[in-house]
Amino acid sequence: MHDELIAQAQAWLTEDPDPDTRTELARLIDAQDHTELAARFSGTLQFGTAGLRGELGAGPMRMNRSVVIRAAAGLAAYLRKQGHDNGLVVIGYDARHKSYDFAQDTAAVMTGAGLRAAVLPRPLPTPVLAFAIRHLGAVAGVEVTASHNPPRDNGYKVYLGDGSQIVPPADIDIAAEIAAVPSLTTVPRPTHGWDTLDDSVLDAYLTRTDAVLAKGSPRTARTVYTAMHGVGKDVLLAAFARAGFPPPALVTEQADPDPDFPTVAFPNPEEPGAMDLAFATARATSPDLIIANDPDADRCAVAVQDGTDWRMLRGDEVGALLAAHLVHRGATGTFAESIVSSSLLGRIAEKAGNPHVETLTGFKWIARAEGLRYGYEEALGYCVDPDGVRDKDGITAALLITELASQLKEEGRTLLDLLDDLAVEHGLHATDQLSVRVEDLSLIAAAMHRLREQPPTELAGLRITRTDDLTQGTESLPPTDGLRYTLDGARVIVRPSGTEPKLKCYLEVVIPVASHTDLPTARAKATALLESIKRDLSAAAGI
């Protein structure tokens, strides 16, 4: 067994084009480190609906140039079989370790396969790549990013020519083409022949951001901004300057790209502690709101002053605020969200006479809603300009929420005041999440199995009136691994994360509110109910 493992590693080593991972792997082979080698050669990194994502390092279970070259070759073969022999593939990348190398390798493979390749001029936000695909008439796009994952990770996100991320069966077909690559020696990789784009694509994207805002709207709200060590700063500042907003006060410690993300444990605004520096900057500068992007700037977080201190708004709260703002501006079309997001969006859309659609989690599904005008998911993703970017976009979302804050400021009101109004109008929709990160993935499967074999009948004293096993699919949803519980006045969805080693449970309670004076009581009741549901759900799942 050990001999076979060493032979596998040595075969990989002979093909590896990267001196860094070659050195790393040679060291493991010399040390006969069978445990570490087994971890890297126990299979292959699976190409799924988010493309690839994993830890950097040598071997087929890690993100590295060998894995990326195979992925690019598989994508190229798939595109050619779809009849795109001379099609254009646009490639973007973030500022993580190896992102530039992975982008260049992808361009080389596409060129070698007879396709045309164009690489964005420097590390730029993911939504710029999503925009570029449709703007340039490309047949596909690749973004090298691990979004908000830890520093040691990188990823490979694939879009098709409609500008949205791949969904089945394209992912399965591409994975089959990747598996069919016999050896890296069979993949032509010329050293030139692709284009490096200039700033004209970025300029076209920025021109498009202007159209997100209403003509003549107030632009007075003052912001603090953090790029979370990612690539958002320059593009966001340019968009804000064009719009005529006051220049954001920067969280200087996190303003510039740094692949080591030194000030945060996880570069995700939702993670505890990630916003601490932004809060400190806000206390010193007293802005109207805080805006944060994740490292590839496709997500947007918003924080507001609540009493004497600052707090992050939940993704569902921002989702509702943006929807209400668009409705107020007369937006028509489909309002779409993932099934794990708040049902408040449906109430807002219904009252406005707009269609409302629920999809599986992920913008690859939300972006495909027919007649989409606005889409969001609770994980801080918002699509406010679907004709420009068929994906979540943290830059245009930041512009729109700052426009709303400006309008409210002119009226002597805040984002929190509007949330109160929505609660009185539609009922208080309070959401929370129970998220369990695991080292051992089998624990997630065990929890799902336990919930299916011994289903709970009530949570927090509320009777479960309906249970949907989402692996069966529904009339409107394709099958996915998840469970949905409908309770009297509440809803719970349990699913394994698609991008991280986490079991995620999404909770929502809805409490009718007669008037603004009833809000404090309703909020206290909602908080107690959510905590109780969490406790009971943890016990039921054995986590």
Side-chain angles (χ1 to χ4, degrees), residues 522-534:
R523 288 215 165 91
K525 183 179 176 183
T527 302
L529 264 179
L530 288 167
E531 283 306 314
S532 187
I533 292 173
K534 270 194 209 177

Side-chain angles (χ1 to χ4, degrees), residues 55-87:
E55 191 176 336
L56 290 162
M61 287 294 288
R62 298 286 185 268
M63 281 297 293
N64 51 63
R65 289 183 60 197
S66 298
V67 163
V68 164
I69 290 164
R70 285 174 182 276
L75 175 59
Y78 168 82
L79 292 171
R80 293 194 60 170
K81 283 190 178 172
Q82 297 293 311
H84 299 308
D85 285 353
N86 191 37

Side-chain angles (χ1 to χ4, degrees), residues 247-413:
L250 297 178
V251 179
T252 51
E253 302 93 330
Q254 298 174 334
D256 295 316
D258 187 331
D260 295 318
F261 304 101
T263 68
V264 288
F266 286 91
N268 177 356
E270 293 180 293
E271 292 283 346
M275 294 288 285
D276 287 357
L277 287 169
F279 291 158
T281 307
R283 289 182 200 114
T285 57
S286 300
D288 298 298
L289 72 165
I290 298 171
I291 299 285
N293 285 140
D294 67 337
D296 68 327
D298 61 353
R299 286 176 169 83
C300 175
V302 180
V304 294
Q305 190 159 8
D306 190 1
T308 57
D309 210 354
W310 289 81
R311 79 165 172 95
M312 271 265 293
L313 294 180
R314 292 188 167 279
D316 284 318
E317 292 176 308
V318 177
L321 287 168
L322 290 173
H325 184 44
L326 287 169
V327 163
H328 180 71
R329 280 180 28 185
T332 57
T334 301
F335 280 42
E337 63 181 326
S338 61
I339 54 169
V340 300
S341 303
S342 172
S343 58
L344 177 55
L345 183 70
R347 306 269 180 102
I348 294 169
E350 184 183 14
K351 184 156 188 191
N354 283 328
H356 169 248
V357 174
E358 283 188 323
T359 74
L360 294 184
T361 52
F363 261 83
K364 57 184 178 280
W365 299 109
I366 295 169
R368 285 180 159 73
E370 196 173 331
L372 182 67
R373 175 58 188 89
Y374 168 66
Y376 98 91
E377 65 178 354
E378 53 70 47
L380 311 183
Y382 314 94
C383 174
V384 302
D385 176 27
D387 290 342
V389 176
R390 284 252 150 191
D391 198 5
K392 54 188 178 289
D393 182 346
I395 306 294
T396 49
L399 287 170
L400 200 63
I401 198 76
T402 309
E403 177 184 61
L404 173 58
S406 299
Q407 185 180 311
L408 290 165
K409 185 179 181 179
E410 300 294 297
E411 299 165 8
R413 285 156 42 84

Side-chain angles (χ1 to χ4, degrees), residues 158-318:
V158 177
Y159 298 75
L160 292 182
D162 62 356
S164 49
Q165 296 173 48
I166 51 168
V167 294
D171 58 332
I172 297 148
D173 295 344
I174 295 167
E177 296 292 350
I178 294 169
V181 177
S183 149
L184 290 195
T185 57
T186 66
V187 181
R189 282 189 295 131
T191 55
H192 55 85
W194 58 90
D195 291 330
T196 299
L197 296 167
D198 59 18
D199 274 358
S200 57
V201 168
L202 177 59
D203 292 342
Y205 168 81
L206 285 167
T207 301
R208 182 90 208 176
T209 65
D210 298 346
V212 173
L213 304 175
K215 281 193 166 47
S217 62
R219 311 279 166 95
T220 54
R222 293 172 50 253
T223 54
V224 157
Y225 173 70
T226 175
M228 208 64 67
H229 298 296
V231 299
K233 180 193 72 174
D234 291 347
V235 178
L236 181 126
L237 290 181
F240 269 56
R242 290 175 67 106
F245 287 114
L250 297 178
V251 179
T252 51
E253 302 93 330
Q254 298 174 334
D256 295 316
D258 187 331
D260 295 318
F261 304 101
T263 68
V264 288
F266 286 91
N268 177 356
E270 293 180 293
E271 292 283 346
M275 294 288 285
D276 287 357
L277 287 169
F279 291 158
T281 307
R283 289 182 200 114
T285 57
S286 300
D288 298 298
L289 72 165
I290 298 171
I291 299 285
N293 285 140
D294 67 337
D296 68 327
D298 61 353
R299 286 176 169 83
C300 175
V302 180
V304 294
Q305 190 159 8
D306 190 1
T308 57
D309 210 354
W310 289 81
R311 79 165 172 95
M312 271 265 293
L313 294 180
R314 292 188 167 279
D316 284 318
E317 292 176 308
V318 177

Side-chain angles (χ1 to χ4, degrees), residues 4-20:
E4 191 182 321
L5 190 59
I6 295 292
Q8 247 186 306
Q10 282 174 328
W12 184 275
L13 183 63
T14 60
E15 285 191 1
D16 191 339
D18 188 333
D20 294 339

